Amino acid sequence: MQPLAASAQTTLQVPANAASLFSTYQLGAGDMLTIRVLGEPELTLEKIRLTDAGTLSYPVLGEIRLLGLTVGELEKIITDGLRGRYLKNPQVSVQMDEYRPFYVNGLVEKPGSYPYQPALTVRKAASIAGGLKIRASVDKVYVIRANDKNQDAIKADMNTPIYPGDTVIVEQSFF
């Protein structure tokens, strides 16, 4: 009788572009999260909104600064903080419940703020805002990035990606 063949074992194959499979979304003020620790209901926080400073207060660990972290990095921080100190082998999961909003101004039917959705473009943002008005110019569209300290309006086209906190500005066409 032969020992168990290697084919009986499960092997996880990680593709070469594995980094692109993980979220690169950076947390910021206004995001809403749910944090769960398996078997530890007192460590579960449901629908917690990050403060204007991008922090949250977590049991046992205190205030955690999250600005610029990814969901995966937050999971690791909480897991490492609880391991040994409070739990032997914590199983932590973090879920995005609501992204911070983006904004649309100018010649759209319903200017205002809207909940961010992954894979958002200027075209989709304009559609969410009720569509372009008849006098809107698709050649005079600008985006102000939330993370731009100078708040410079950069020229954009309809396929330019939009991120949480960004402002889309649609100007008027003269002809």
Side-chain angles (χ1 to χ4, degrees), residues 44-59:
T44 292
L45 299 179
E46 299 276 341
K47 298 189 184 246
I48 298 299
R49 190 169 304 276
L50 274 57
T51 67
D52 60 338
T55 64
L56 70 79
S57 182
Y58 192 78

Side-chain angles (χ1 to χ4, degrees), residues 34-152:
T34 291
I35 302 170
R36 291 189 178 89
V37 180
L38 185 64
E40 301 293 332
E42 69 278 2
L43 295 176
T44 292
L45 299 179
E46 299 276 341
K47 298 189 184 246
I48 298 299
R49 190 169 304 276
L50 274 57
T51 67
D52 60 338
T55 64
L56 70 79
S57 182
Y58 192 78
V60 181
L61 303 180
E63 190 168 12
I64 304 171
R65 185 167 173 82
L66 306 176
L67 282 180
L69 296 180
T70 66
V71 168
E73 290 168 334
L74 175 57
E75 283 179 359
K76 183 172 177 5
I77 287 170
I78 294 173
T79 300
D80 292 347
L82 295 175
R83 180 178 288 117
R85 181 175 173 190
Y86 190 76
L87 297 171
K88 193 171 199 169
N89 187 23
Q91 302 295 309
V92 177
S93 70
V94 177
Q95 166 189 319
M96 283 297 304
D97 291 321
E98 185 179 304
Y99 297 93
R100 58 195 179 275
F102 68 96
Y103 306 89
V104 184
N105 292 326
L107 293 179
V108 293
E109 291 298 328
K110 298 176 191 166
S113 74
Y114 295 92
Y116 175 77
Q117 301 168 11
L120 193 64
T121 62
V122 168
R123 182 182 321 281
K124 291 176 186 175
S127 293
I128 290 169
L132 298 174
K133 289 188 174 184
I134 198 157
R135 301 272 311 187
S137 172
V138 294
D139 295 324
K140 293 181 182 176
V141 177
Y142 301 89
V143 174
I144 299 174
R145 297 289 184 204
N147 61 359
D148 179 4
K149 293 188 189 324
N150 295 329
Q151 294 291 281
D152 293 325

